[in-house]
Amino acid sequence: MSNRIFLSSPTMHGDEQKFITEAFETNWIAPLGPNVDGFEREIAEYVGIRHAAALVSGTSALHLAVKLAGVKRGNVVFCSDLTFSATVNPVSYEGGVQVFIDSERDTWNMDPKALEKAFEKYPDCKCVIVVNLYGVPAKLDEIRSICDAHGATLIEDAAESLSATYEGKQTGTFGKYGIFSFNGNKIITTSGGGMLVSDDEAGIKKARFWSTQSRDPAPWYQHSEIGYNYRMSNIVAGIGRGQLLHIEEHRNLKEKIYRRYEEGLKSLPLKMNPYLEYSKPNFWLSCILIDRGVNVTPEQIRLKLEDANIEARPIWKPMHMQPIYRTNPFVTVEGNGRGRTNAYIKGSGIDVGADIFRRGLCLPSDNKMTEEQQDRIIEIIHRCFL
Ligand SMILES: *Cc1c(COP(=O)(O)O)cnc(C)c1O
């Protein structure tokens, strides 16, 4: 495994160790302490938001965001369709019902037109979860205005997009609540961890309360609400503080990887994953989309890379195609909803999510990959098209 090229693996610097050592020396080995407070302050400052709560994962941050948005049993929540299941599972934790919204082709994220359609069909929806896939900002302004017009709370799943900006503003700050993930393969990592951010001070306080078992202010253990053990530990937060010092460096390395693929693959019948010119992705993963009608599949490329001990990954399988969510409604303006009796349909082609899933591939985007290694990957891909 030692010479394997990974999709995206942790890049550590040594600064992390200093914060951990300090935690050991002061015996702050707990889900609270100066690193937790410091990491919250530093993330909030970095993205330009007032408040942050450090949690055990991006998923737990999403769960608490869904609770703060007031989602209750039976409530409809509009969710990005092309994403990791962690974006949408927390809706089920609260008994809500996901309605999946198809992607557009400019960013692969939630299609504002499909979102509008969804509000026509479900005017009572009060919560929307949008993802910035692979670090590419969605059409956040449009999506936010649509949510505002319908009085719906926007939750921004920026798990993959920390350090990406939309019109100069950091992703994660467009919704009422935003979340980041520090899982091992994200742009910065704490081994595992997440952050909930918001300008809503009361909301973040409430999230901290829920995340530490909902203990009422009483001398004994008293609970008036269901609690969770979701708080980030002081050790883990120390890793995060050390990583955050290097986030711009990580982003620049990721962009360099994307540009090298873009240049190296430009003669082939494929496109890189697209983004809006007024947004600045963090290029967490470089992806390709093979042109229509070309006789090469992403899976053929993935297996050829695997033969060379190189890790590539299929595009996230859309939520509306997942066995667990097969009966949830799906709103698309391009798709024909083939095989789905409950798709709300306008167009007559394949839906965008399924199309990207079928023709797309995530390429190795590891910060530590050398230019020579990347050139080898580019060459293997070229050979697939001979
Ligand atoms: C990683 C990820 C999450 C979940 O974050 P964890 O920290 O792994 O719980 C949520 N949404 C997206 C889009 C992700 O990529």
Side-chain angles (χ1 to χ4, degrees), residues 56-60 62 83-88 131-134 157-160 179-186 192-194 284 313 316:
V56 292
S57 61
T59 309
S60 58
L62 278 159
T83 187
F84 180 36
S85 62
T87 306
V88 310
V131 70
N132 302 306
L133 204 70
Y134 303 129
D157 177 356
E160 301 178 355
I179 77 99
F180 301 110
S181 165
F182 312 111
N183 203 336
N185 64 9
K186 299 286 156 63
W284 175 55
R313 189 163 71 186
W316 297 123

Side-chain angles (χ1 to χ4, degrees), residues 211-226:
S211 74
T212 49
Q213 308 285 18
S214 299
R215 287 177 58 187
D216 290 345
W220 42 83
Y221 277 72
Q222 177 176 299
H223 308 277
S224 311
E225 285 185 71
I226 292 287

Side-chain angles (χ1 to χ4, degrees), residues 81-83 101-105 108 133 289-290 292 298 314-322 330-332 334-338 340 349-361:
D81 173 62
L82 187 61
T83 187
I101 311 296
D102 199 7
S103 295
E104 34 79 2
R105 296 188 182 275
W108 295 4
L133 204 70
L289 188 69
I290 300 170
R292 278 199 195 85
I315 298 296
W316 297 123
K317 184 173 182 179
M319 289 302 113
H320 79 279
M321 297 168 74
Q322 296 289 348
F330 171 55
V331 181
T332 167
E334 276 192 35
N336 61 12
R338 210 192 326 261
R340 291 187 60 90
I350 184 175
D351 60 81
V352 177
D355 185 38
I356 293 170
F357 175 60
R358 199 174 291 175
R359 296 193 286 127
L361 184 70

Side-chain angles (χ1 to χ4, degrees), residues 212-323:
T212 49
Q213 308 285 18
S214 299
R215 287 177 58 187
D216 290 345
W220 42 83
Y221 277 72
Q222 177 176 299
H223 308 277
S224 311
E225 285 185 71
I226 292 287
Y228 305 86
N229 187 1
Y230 277 176
R231 198 76 166 119
M232 182 182 279
S233 97
N234 197 52
I235 304 293
V236 161
I239 306 175
R241 295 183 83 183
Q243 285 272 288
L244 189 55
L245 299 171
H246 298 275
I247 183 137
E248 292 302 323
E249 186 183 325
H250 286 196
R251 202 210 76 91
N252 293 339
L253 287 167
K254 293 284 190 185
E255 176 161 7
K256 240 177 108 188
I257 292 166
Y258 181 98
R259 299 290 169 218
R260 198 172 188 84
Y261 279 130
E262 191 175 41
E263 181 61 28
L265 300 173
K266 71 178 180 201
S267 61
L268 295 179
L270 56 79
K271 312 270 177 306
M272 297 299 294
N273 54 326
Y275 58 91
L276 303 169
E277 64 191 38
Y278 50 89
S279 79
K280 225 174 127 206
N282 70 1
F283 301 99
W284 175 55
L285 293 187
S286 291
C287 309
I288 53 170
L289 188 69
I290 300 170
D291 290 351
R292 278 199 195 85
V294 174
N295 208 8
V296 177
T297 66
E299 189 58 8
Q300 285 168 346
I301 299 174
R302 193 184 72 79
L303 292 173
K304 275 278 178 281
L305 290 168
E306 193 56 55
D307 284 346
N309 201 17
I310 298 166
E311 183 188 21
R313 189 163 71 186
I315 298 296
W316 297 123
K317 184 173 182 179
M319 289 302 113
H320 79 279
M321 297 168 74
Q322 296 289 348

